[in-house]
Amino acid sequence: MFSLGSVSGFEPASPGIAGARNWRRSCYRPRRGCSVESLRAWRREHESALRSARRQEQLISKRLLRDDTLTDEEQIGTDSEATALFSEQEVSQLLINIQKGTEDRAVSLNRLRRGLQHKETQQQFIRLEGSMRVLIGLFTSSLADLQMEAARCLHELSHSSDPDVVSACLPATSYLLTYLSGHSIALTELCLYTLGNLAVEIKAVKKQLLPQGIIPVLASCIQSPHVVVQEGVGYVLSQLLQSKEAPAEIIPLVLESTLSQDMLRLICSNLEEGIGAAVEFAWGLHYIICSQVNNALLISQRTVPSLVKLLLELASMIAATSVEGLELLICPVVRCVANLLAEGDGCELLVEEECFLKALFVFMQYFLPKHVFVVQECLWLINNLTADNTIFCCALLRTDCFPFLLKLLCSQMVSFLVLTVLCNIAAKGAACCQALHQKAVLPALISLLALPDVQVVSQDLELLHLLFHHWPEAATDFVAQSGLQALEQYQDNLQLQEQAKALIQTASQLAAFP
C-alpha cells in the first residue's frame, strides 16, 4: 500500500483548470492536414457525450421497506398469507371490515397490506370506490397502530410500477409531508421512502410535491439527529434531483435553502453510523453539480476542499476501518470533485499534489480488482487534474505510485483512461516525455498494440505520436523494440490506418536520423 505521508499543513494548490479532456489530437496527418479548431470542437463534443453518459449511470429506482418491520414470529406466521393472491371479493370484504371498526380491524388492515404486495391486488384495491379515502383516513387517525399499518399500505402502493396505482396515492402526499415533522421515527422514515417512490413520477413532482413545499420540509427534516431519517431525506433528494425537471424547478430551490450545505456536512461526518446517508447525499450532490445550475455557489461553500479532506481521511483509514461499503461513498465523492474541477476558476484543492494523488492510488490499489468502478472514477479525476495542469503531471511522475499506473495498462477496463492520463502528461512537452521514456513506458505501449480494442489502440497511437514529437529518442527505441512491426497490422484498418501510417513514417524518419 502506498504511504500517504503527513496530511497536515496543506499548502494551497493551483486550481484544477480542467475539463474531462480525453482527446488531445495534434496534427499528425502530414499529407492530408487538419484544422486544429475542428479537432478541438470534435473533442469537446466527444467529452460532452462521455460526461452525459456517466451522469446517466445512476438511475432512478424505487425502494421498499418491508420485512424489517416484522418480528421473526410474525414473518413465520404470515408467510403463506403474504404469497396468496386475493380475489376482488376478498379485497372488498377486507375494506368493509376495516370500515366497520370491529375488533379485527387491525388484522384486516394487516392482511390488506400483505395483499398489496401483489400488483393484481393493488389494481383491485384502487378500483374499489372510496378505498383510498378509507386508507388515508386511517393514515391520519389518532390510533398509532392503525396509522402505521395504513402507512405501510401506502408504501406498498407507492412502490408499484403501475402509473394508475401511483396516481391513486397522490392525495396522501400532503399528509406524508406533514408527518415528517412528527415524533415517530419509524413513521417519519416510512413517509420519506414513500415520498421518494412517488417522486419518480413526473406529474407527482410538478403538481403535488413542489407546490406543497417538499423542499423546505426536507430542509427542516435533514436536521434530524436520527441516521435513518437522514438517509431517508437523502433518498428523497436523490430521486428528486435526478428528474428531468430538476435543473429548472428543483435544484434552484435546493440551492436557495440550506440543503446543499447540510448535505456536504453529512457526507463528511459520522461515517461509522451514517454511511448510508453519506452515500445518498453524495449522489444528490453529484446530480446538483452535473446540472451546472450554480456550481459557483458550491465552490464558494468550499465543497472541493471539504470533499478532498474526506478522501484523504478515507485513504488513511481504509485498511483498518470496519465500515462497510466505503467504495459506494468514494465513487460519488470522487465524481463530485472531478466535475467541480472541470469548472475551473475558484476550485482549489488546498492540499499538496502528491499527497492527494497518493490517496487516489490507495483507493485504486485497495479496490482492484473487486470494485473496478472505483479505479475508473479515480482515473477520471486524475485525468481532470492532469489535463491542463503541469504541476500535477510532474507530481504524478515523481510519485512512487507511477509504476502502479503502468500496471493498470494491463487491465482492459481501465487501460483507455490510463492512456488518457499519460497523454495529458506527454502533451506537456519534452521534459515530461523524457521522463515517461525513462520510466520505460514503451514496452507497455507496444504490447497494447496487440489488443483488439480500437479505442484503446487509437489512444495508444496518440500517446506514441506525442512521445515521438517531443522526445525523438523514444522513436529510436520504439523501432529497436520491433514497434514498427506491431504497427504494420493497422495499415489496412479503416479506423486506424491514418494514425498508423503517419506514426510509421514519423518513427522511421526519426530513427534514421537520430
Side-chain angles (χ1 to χ4, degrees):
M1 188 70 71
F2 303 114
S3 173
L4 281 173
S6 173
V7 296
S8 61
F10 300 144
E11 292 294 326
S14 300
I17 307 172
R21 298 179 181 171
N22 296 327
W23 299 83
R24 296 184 165 277
R25 297 189 182 278
S26 52
C27 189
Y28 56 79
R29 303 185 179 100
R31 293 182 180 177
R32 295 182 59 184
C34 62
S35 165
V36 174
E37 185 54 39
S38 65
L39 289 173
R40 287 176 179 170
W42 177 87
R43 187 186 68 189
R44 285 194 295 268
E45 288 180 11
H46 185 76
E47 291 160 4
S48 177
L50 285 176
R51 295 172 71 80
S52 177
R54 291 166 66 79
R55 287 200 295 271
Q56 299 306 318
E57 288 177 7
Q58 180 75 5
L59 302 177
I60 289 176
S61 60
K62 293 190 176 186
R63 297 188 192 172
L64 188 61
L65 304 183
R66 184 182 286 168
D67 291 342
D68 58 339
T69 61
L70 303 177
T71 64
D72 291 339
E73 292 78 7
E74 285 175 319
Q75 290 182 48
I76 293 171
T78 56
D79 277 347
S80 59
E81 255 182 29
T83 58
L85 287 173
F86 292 158
S87 67
E88 187 172 347
Q89 292 74 18
E90 288 174 313
V91 176
S92 179
Q93 187 59 52
L94 283 174
L95 190 61
I96 292 172
N97 293 343
I98 292 168
Q99 286 178 285
K100 284 182 178 179
T102 57
E103 291 182 359
D104 65 347
R105 196 179 195 184
V107 175
S108 297
L109 191 56
N110 183 278
R111 289 191 65 206
L112 174 64
R113 190 250 296 186
R114 298 185 184 285
L116 291 176
Q117 295 175 11
H118 303 282
K119 63 179 182 180
E120 294 86 352
T121 306
Q122 293 173 351
Q123 293 164 350
Q124 291 168 355
F125 178 75
I126 65 169
R127 286 197 297 263
L128 290 171
E129 186 177 355
S131 58
M132 289 303 299
R133 185 172 62 252
V134 171
L135 187 58
I136 292 173
L138 291 172
F139 177 53
T140 58
S141 74
S142 58
L143 301 174
D145 57 339
L146 293 180
Q147 182 186 45
M148 193 66 186
E149 201 61 47
R152 290 172 183 152
C153 290
L154 285 171
H155 184 63
E156 291 287 348
L157 291 170
S158 76
H159 193 258
S160 174
S161 58
D162 186 333
D164 292 334
V165 174
V166 175
S167 296
C169 297
L170 295 185
T173 53
S174 59
Y175 302 107
L176 289 165
L177 288 172
T178 298
Y179 289 126
L180 295 186
S181 304
H183 300 293
S184 169
I185 303 306
L187 181 60
T188 298
E189 181 188 19
L190 196 58
C191 289
L192 282 167
Y193 282 93
T194 303
L195 284 166
N197 289 342
L198 295 177
V200 173
E201 306 301 323
I202 294 176
K203 291 182 180 179
V205 174
K206 282 188 173 181
K207 296 183 179 180
Q208 298 283 345
L209 298 178
L210 286 179
Q212 290 171 356
I214 188 172
I215 300 303
V217 172
L218 292 177
S220 174
C221 201
I222 200 174
Q223 306 299 330
S224 170
H226 301 284
V227 172
V228 293
V229 174
Q230 294 171 359
E231 188 169 346
V233 172
Y235 170 62
V236 178
L237 281 171
S238 182
Q239 297 287 80
L240 289 171
L241 294 169
Q242 290 179 81
S243 69
K244 293 180 180 178
E245 299 77 24
E249 301 181 28
I250 299 171
I251 292 175
L253 296 176
V254 170
L255 293 176
E256 288 171 8
S257 70
T258 60
L259 274 169
S260 61
Q261 296 174 66
D262 288 324
M263 291 166 68
L264 182 62
R265 171 178 57 84
L266 291 172
I267 291 169
C268 299
S269 63
N270 197 25
L271 293 183
E272 290 196 7
E273 294 183 11
I275 181 70
V279 171
E280 294 290 356
F281 289 125
W283 278 114
L285 186 60
H286 164 66
Y287 302 135
I288 294 174
I289 293 168
C290 285
S291 75
Q292 297 184 325
V293 170
N294 191 355
N295 283 350
L297 175 63
L298 297 176
I299 291 170
S300 71
Q301 292 172 348
R302 295 176 56 81
T303 301
V304 172
S306 298
L307 295 180
V308 167
K309 181 182 178 183
L310 171 63
L311 291 173
L312 290 170
E313 291 173 352
L314 292 175
S316 65
M317 62 181 270
I318 197 165
T321 183
S322 59
V323 179
E324 295 184 3
L326 281 181
E327 70 280 359
L328 302 178
L329 175 62
I330 291 168
C331 175
V333 170
V334 168
R335 197 177 286 193
C336 285
V337 174
N339 288 339
L340 279 179
L341 286 175
E343 296 297 315
D345 293 342
C347 271
E348 293 184 338
L349 298 178
L350 301 181
V351 62
E352 197 271 329
E353 293 83 7
E354 286 189 44
C355 185
F356 186 46
L357 287 170
K358 286 183 178 181
L360 297 177
F361 274 89
V362 166
F363 298 142
M364 290 193 286
Q365 187 187 45
Y366 187 82
F367 290 112
L368 189 73
K370 188 175 181 180
H371 300 300
V372 179
F373 66 89
V374 176
V375 181
Q376 293 169 327
E377 294 298 336
C378 289
L379 287 171
W380 185 272
L381 174 50
I382 293 173
N383 168 61
N384 281 9
L385 290 170
T386 56
D388 283 329
N389 194 313
T390 304
I391 295 175
F392 268 101
C393 290
C394 294
L396 185 54
L397 288 169
R398 287 194 307 267
T399 180
D400 57 358
C401 307
F402 191 83
F404 182 75
L405 182 67
L406 292 185
K407 288 182 180 179
L408 288 176
L409 284 171
C410 301
S411 175
Q412 185 176 355
M413 296 185 69
V414 300
S415 55
F416 177 82
L417 283 169
V418 175
L419 287 169
T420 301
V421 171
L422 294 175
C423 281
N424 289 342
I425 296 173
K428 300 303 180 289
C432 286
C433 286
Q434 180 185 14
L436 287 173
H437 186 211
Q438 290 174 344
K439 290 181 178 295
V441 299
L442 279 179
L445 300 184
I446 293 171
S447 65
L448 286 179
L449 293 175
L451 294 179
D453 190 324
V454 172
Q455 187 184 39
V456 170
V457 173
S458 178
Q459 194 77 331
D460 192 13
L461 296 176
E462 168 72 2
L463 177 53
L464 288 167
H465 163 72
L466 290 169
L467 283 172
F468 299 168
H469 175 72
H470 292 294
W471 193 249
E473 289 182 22
T476 303
D477 285 352
F478 178 79
V479 172
Q481 295 176 33
S482 302
L484 291 179
Q485 290 87 326
L487 282 176
E488 287 175 355
Q489 62 181 308
Y490 296 109
Q491 291 191 89
D492 297 324
N493 186 301
L494 293 178
Q495 294 172 282
L496 299 170
Q497 61 183 1
E498 288 190 49
Q499 280 181 285
K501 288 179 179 178
L503 203 58
I504 289 172
Q505 180 180 342
T506 300
S508 299
Q509 290 175 348
L510 292 173
F513 303 99

